[in-house]
Amino acid sequence: MNRPIKRAVIPAAGFGTRLLPATKSTPKEMLPIVDRPSIQYIVEEALESGIEDILIISGHAKRAIEDYFDSAPNLEMALEKSGKTDLLKLVRDTADIRVHYIRQRSMRGLGDAILTAKAFMAEEPFAVLLGDDVVYNPDKPAMKQLIEVYEEYGRSVLGCQKVPDEQVSSYGIVAGNKLDNHRILKVSDMVEKPAPAEAPSNMAVLGRYIITPAIFDILEHTKPGKGGEIQLTDALKVLAQQEAVFAYDFVGKRYDLGDKLGFLKAQVEFALRRDDLGSQFKEYLKELSAGGYDI
Ligand code: G1P
């Protein structure tokens, strides 16, 4: 029986430079998709996948994240007094989640951020969810899909999807051999953000990982790679030489929140899915489109 995955880490120390100037004073993880901070979608995915404790790797100017997952006595009192029970529940629910924090003191890359989680993970396999990647799948969350693969193989699992050639240089790319279940590859090679000519495939790691604790010793010895940063991809490549690592082509629609257009697409599509907003918003979009978007 493989050890269950109960802990997850969400790295959130980055500067969010691609969404400046908003991220000068607001953590990018707190920028809302409709009315919820994007990190809430990530945390909900983790909880719906059976994760019980979430470690957020925090950093400079990220206090708003801690306040968000905390109780807010004055606000709660005001909402209670005015009888706004629905809103009170929304505010209280986020404070019930078991969120823990550790600070990454220097920005030395994703691999370094994961290494700061070593003590918290206490020799257990763990999940990683990157805040830039929000995945919509109302039937089975992406992380739950990875956990099922982990339960079968007992080794690290990387959540992947195919990307077009011109995008391979934005991701960690994996190569490997397909198993009988064609959504699963046994990883033989990994490259962080390769030029299209050097990419071993189009399978990109899209912000979801289950990793065995052997990664920590490897990360301690991983030299800076692409961009001068300690890359998780480089450490996973070494791990794949020591023990099996699998890539799983997960099912779900993924949004890249690190990109302005991806962020806008998420706003529109999540708004259209909302019971309280969807039909009105759809009408509005139809009107805009009928007018040729001439605004
Ligand atoms: C990180 C990882 C990369 C992965 C990507 C997924 O890159 O280093 O391997 O494919 O996240 O979104 P970043 O986008 O943070 O530069």
Side-chain angles (χ1 to χ4, degrees):
M1 184 58 188
N2 295 315
R3 284 182 277 183
I5 307 292
K6 293 290 171 202
R7 296 184 166 205
V9 50
I10 301 178
F15 292 128
T17 41
R18 283 182 286 185
L19 294 172
L20 275 170
T23 47
K24 187 177 172 193
S25 59
T26 304
K28 68 173 173 183
E29 296 77 11
M30 292 305 295
L31 297 177
I33 301 175
V34 191
D35 53 7
R36 293 144 175 250
S38 61
I39 196 168
Q40 181 159 345
Y41 293 81
I42 306 285
V43 165
E44 277 172 11
E45 179 186 327
L47 298 177
E48 284 164 13
S49 304
I51 301 291
E52 291 173 356
D53 285 277
I54 293 170
L55 178 68
I56 294 181
I57 314 287
S58 175
H60 184 71
K62 298 284 181 164
R63 287 265 295 280
I65 300 177
E66 297 175 33
D67 286 341
Y68 182 74
F69 291 109
D70 197 359
S71 56
N74 290 342
L75 173 62
E76 287 174 34
M77 221 167 9
L79 292 172
E80 204 161 9
K81 257 193 188 159
S82 53
K84 294 184 172 148
T85 45
D86 288 359
L87 294 179
L88 184 63
K89 184 174 179 322
L90 276 183
V91 167
R92 282 196 173 143
D93 281 354
T94 50
D96 285 341
I97 304 167
R98 274 163 41 189
V99 183
H100 315 262
Y101 303 91
I102 194 163
R103 283 177 73 112
Q104 186 183 9
R105 300 232 175 105
S106 55
M107 303 303 198
R108 297 174 62 215
L110 179 59
D112 183 55
I114 300 301
L115 186 54
T116 62
K118 181 178 178 181
F120 185 82
M121 294 311 169
E123 296 296 311
E124 295 287 328
F126 59 96
V128 178
L129 299 97
L130 303 188
D132 278 349
D133 302 288
V134 165
V135 183
Y136 176 74
N137 181 330
D139 301 320
K140 194 180 281 183
M143 183 48 75
K144 176 96 182 117
Q145 298 174 43
L146 265 65
I147 287 177
E148 287 179 2
V149 177
Y150 166 79
E151 281 167 351
E152 191 171 346
Y153 294 94
R155 293 293 181 204
S156 301
V157 185
L158 318 176
C160 296
Q161 282 184 345
K162 280 211 170 107
V163 296
D165 287 348
E166 63 276 14
Q167 287 181 21
V168 289
S169 57
S170 300
Y171 300 102
I173 301 293
V174 304
N177 307 313
K178 272 193 184 155
L179 304 193
D180 288 345
N181 174 343
H182 278 206
R183 301 198 84 89
I184 307 177
L185 288 180
K186 185 161 180 283
V187 174
S188 58
D189 195 14
M190 288 189 74
V191 193
E192 178 68 7
K193 305 197 172 101
E198 274 132 45
S201 81
N202 282 37
M203 279 297 256
V205 184
L206 297 181
R208 297 292 181 277
Y209 310 73
I210 288 176
I211 309 182
T212 58
I215 198 73
F216 294 120
D217 282 351
I218 299 172
L219 279 170
E220 271 163 359
H221 299 105
T222 302
K223 302 255 164 359
K226 191 93 191 177
E229 295 190 336
I230 297 177
Q231 296 294 350
L232 180 60
T233 299
D234 294 344
L236 287 167
K237 180 177 171 168
V238 176
L239 185 66
Q241 287 152 11
Q242 293 180 4
E243 58 181 46
V245 170
F246 297 93
Y248 181 68
D249 183 1
F250 66 81
V251 182
K253 182 149 193 193
R254 173 250 178 193
Y255 301 87
D256 179 6
L257 301 189
D259 170 73
K260 288 185 187 73
L261 190 59
F263 192 73
L264 286 172
K265 287 179 185 173
Q267 299 292 345
V268 171
E269 296 184 24
F270 277 93
L272 284 170
R273 290 183 190 115
R274 286 273 293 253
D275 291 339
D276 57 343
L277 283 170
S279 53
Q280 261 176 295
F281 189 48
K282 195 175 190 173
E283 283 311 308
Y284 165 71
L285 291 179
K286 274 188 192 157
E287 272 167 38
L288 270 188
S289 148
Y293 296 103
D294 187 15
I295 50 173

